[in-house]
Amino acid sequence: MHPLLTKDKIFVRQLYGNGPQLACYSKGDGKLVWSTGDRKNEFMASDPVILEGELGILSIVFEERQEGTLCWNLIDAATGEIRDKHSLIRLR
């Protein structure tokens, strides 16, 4: 998993808990700023990217009968909250 470096932060997808999650660390002292934590039936499926100045990441939301949805998420870089989520494709 490749970290994403910005001027003052490091964003990285890491294996922790029930599945991959997104975390943000301070570039100056290496301390954890925020983490998306364990989300029920959802995990981060790609490394984070910045597109048009926005922090984004793909996630998979698991549903019943071994189905799921691949989603594009825009993340608030300061808090780690998902600001916007778009379903892209249903998976089986």
Side-chain angles (χ1 to χ4, degrees):
M1 297 181 200
H2 301 284
L4 173 64
L5 304 174
T6 64
K7 180 180 175 185
D8 58 346
K9 294 181 181 168
I10 301 169
F11 301 99
V12 63
R13 182 173 57 122
Q14 57 188 16
L15 292 175
Y16 188 78
N18 292 329
Q21 57 182 280
L22 181 62
C24 174
Y25 293 90
S26 171
K27 198 172 182 182
D29 60 14
K31 291 185 180 179
L32 179 66
V33 176
W34 55 258
S35 172
T36 56
D38 287 337
R39 297 181 183 271
K40 186 176 180 173
N41 299 328
E42 180 178 21
F43 70 86
M44 300 303 164
S46 74
D47 291 329
V49 296
I50 293 184
L51 294 173
E52 297 180 3
E54 299 279 346
L55 178 62
I57 193 166
L58 292 170
S59 70
I60 295 178
V61 178
F62 290 103
E63 298 163 10
E64 295 179 19
R65 299 181 312 251
Q66 296 182 343
E67 294 180 355
T69 302
L70 182 68
C71 299
W72 172 248
N73 302 276
L74 292 178
I75 308 291
D76 184 321
T79 65
E81 296 295 319
I82 295 176
R83 291 191 308 104
D84 201 7
K85 180 184 291 248
H86 298 280
S87 296
L88 301 176
I89 190 168
R90 301 230 352 123
L91 304 170
R92 184 161 190 187

